[in-house]
Amino acid sequence: MSKVLFSGAMIVPVDESRPGFFTGDILVEGGLISKISEFPERITTETEVKVIDAGRLILMPGMVNTHGHAAMVLFRGYADDLPLKEWLEQKIWPVEAKLTSEDIYWGTLLSIVEMLKGGTTTFADMYFYMDQVAQAVGESGIRAVLCRGLIGVGENSATSLQEGEQFYRDWHGRGAGRINVTLGPHAPYTCPPEFLKKVIIAADRLHLPLQIHLSETAGEVEACRQEYGCSPIVLMERLGLFEQKVIAAHCVHLDDEDIQIMARRQVRVAHNPGSNLKLGSGVAPVAKLLAAGVTVGLGTDGAASNNNLDMFEEMRLAALLAKGINRDPTLIPADKALRMATVDGAAALFLEKTGQLKEGFRADMIGISRELPHAVPLHDLPAHLLYSAGAADVRLVMVDGEMILEKGELLYLDEEKIKAEAAARAAKLTGRSET
Ligand code: NI
């Protein structure tokens, strides 16, 4: 692995022991951040090292997208402004049924191009044809936490869990450790209790975290109460799901008892404000979750319900929604919003030593331009990154100590080819011509 010295950068470490920002150098070797200096102290090395003049960049940890369905970028803009049930049943499920493994491969690559160029260095994914998703992750250099989406009803329910386990055996730890695999029961309304019990036993046996959608809509919670006499969170607690490591996506409709259970069981939350707003699902009670001590990361969800994979946007939405809804501008300040998008997201995905610019941590970092009009003046860097910066400001991306993007250009992926392939496949799937 290469050895890189970033010289003279403005650094936002997102590290509570080093709050705010400073100017300094960062040395990366063996995939890790080995040294950080703060001016006037400088890093000098005697061995050969690639030096990057980072004087025009703000360096921060890469964004961690804690929930999504990457290949759904193929359905970006295909069905908008519809109720969730109609959107799924009449639009999304029929086109998803036509997806081939090759479609998933190219769709995932397109999503990875978008995520990397927008500063995301780790993403979570729940979908199908996951071998192709893992292949795309391996080729691209990005870090990922992947699971096969498990549906516990219908003809494929018996084999889906076996496939989920096989996917773990085939791919966990590959890509030089960048590919992590979990199990992925889709949701309580698609995975009945008997099926979930089998998933819990498998997770326990394999020591794997679980990704699941929980309490996304009011209708889902109401249906659960009618069928089981309790909320989805209480139902999961009774089934023993929370004795495993759980990443729960959405968690929009929670009562106080739900939040207490989640805090006690250390359930991690993937908050998807953009998707929840667009589908009219509501706004998750993030301030209450944080006050209860729950770890909350941020996610985009699939691009069909967002419609982009821009983590700067999700970070800003999370902060602004919490302030506006609670009429309290002190909620989710810039430092906390940055943590949610980075280190808290990594913790939500059960990744260790990831999401901070700190000695001994994985060298997953991004460089943001400080030369754009909206970066002048630069009084407070965390506030700039939260309120002013955007995905298009990203100039440099490093994952696991490897440079993936420099001067805004991807070094290994053929962006033009990926865009053309994905566009052609999307047009074929949806029956709409390319424009
Ligand atoms: Ni989802």
mmCIF file of all heavy atoms in Angstrom, residues 67 69 213 250 301, ligand 1:
data_model
loop_
_atom_site.group_PDB
_atom_site.id
_atom_site.type_symbol
_atom_site.label_atom_id
_atom_site.label_comp_id
_atom_site.label_asym_id
_atom_site.label_seq_id
_atom_site.Cartn_x
_atom_site.Cartn_y
_atom_site.Cartn_z
ATOM 1 N N HIS A 67 -27.798 3.542 4.950
ATOM 2 C CA HIS A 67 -28.931 2.754 4.436
ATOM 3 C C HIS A 67 -29.197 3.054 2.972
ATOM 4 O O HIS A 67 -29.282 4.222 2.579
ATOM 5 C CB HIS A 67 -30.209 3.029 5.225
ATOM 6 C CG HIS A 67 -31.377 2.238 4.720
ATOM 7 N ND1 HIS A 67 -31.474 0.872 4.895
ATOM 8 C CD2 HIS A 67 -32.470 2.592 3.998
ATOM 9 C CE1 HIS A 67 -32.582 0.441 4.324
ATOM 10 N NE2 HIS A 67 -33.205 1.460 3.767
ATOM 11 N N HIS A 69 -30.223 1.139 -1.244
ATOM 12 C CA HIS A 69 -30.428 0.056 -2.207
ATOM 13 C C HIS A 69 -29.803 0.586 -3.501
ATOM 14 O O HIS A 69 -30.477 1.210 -4.322
ATOM 15 C CB HIS A 69 -31.919 -0.233 -2.359
ATOM 16 C CG HIS A 69 -32.636 -0.278 -1.024
ATOM 17 N ND1 HIS A 69 -32.597 -1.379 -0.212
ATOM 18 C CD2 HIS A 69 -33.341 0.668 -0.356
ATOM 19 C CE1 HIS A 69 -33.283 -1.118 0.897
ATOM 20 N NE2 HIS A 69 -33.735 0.113 0.833
ATOM 21 N N HIS A 213 -35.612 -2.755 7.988
ATOM 22 C CA HIS A 213 -36.447 -1.546 7.994
ATOM 23 C C HIS A 213 -37.425 -1.673 9.166
ATOM 24 O O HIS A 213 -38.109 -2.683 9.279
ATOM 25 C CB HIS A 213 -37.286 -1.443 6.718
ATOM 26 C CG HIS A 213 -36.499 -1.316 5.443
ATOM 27 N ND1 HIS A 213 -36.026 -2.386 4.739
ATOM 28 C CD2 HIS A 213 -36.135 -0.212 4.741
ATOM 29 C CE1 HIS A 213 -35.395 -1.956 3.652
ATOM 30 N NE2 HIS A 213 -35.442 -0.649 3.621
ATOM 31 N N HIS A 250 -34.869 3.861 9.207
ATOM 32 C CA HIS A 250 -36.048 4.740 9.258
ATOM 33 C C HIS A 250 -36.482 5.072 10.690
ATOM 34 O O HIS A 250 -36.236 6.165 11.143
ATOM 35 C CB HIS A 250 -37.207 4.185 8.421
ATOM 36 C CG HIS A 250 -36.832 4.042 6.979
ATOM 37 N ND1 HIS A 250 -36.409 5.103 6.228
ATOM 38 C CD2 HIS A 250 -36.763 2.954 6.168
ATOM 39 C CE1 HIS A 250 -36.122 4.692 5.010
ATOM 40 N NE2 HIS A 250 -36.312 3.393 4.947
ATOM 41 N N ASP A 301 -31.195 6.069 1.565
ATOM 42 C CA ASP A 301 -32.167 5.119 1.020
ATOM 43 C C ASP A 301 -31.921 5.020 -0.491
ATOM 44 O O ASP A 301 -30.978 5.610 -1.016
ATOM 45 C CB ASP A 301 -33.605 5.547 1.343
ATOM 46 C CG ASP A 301 -34.565 4.352 1.435
ATOM 47 O OD1 ASP A 301 -34.155 3.221 1.087
ATOM 48 O OD2 ASP A 301 -35.718 4.550 1.852
HETATM 49 NI NI NI B 1 -34.769 1.056 2.383
#
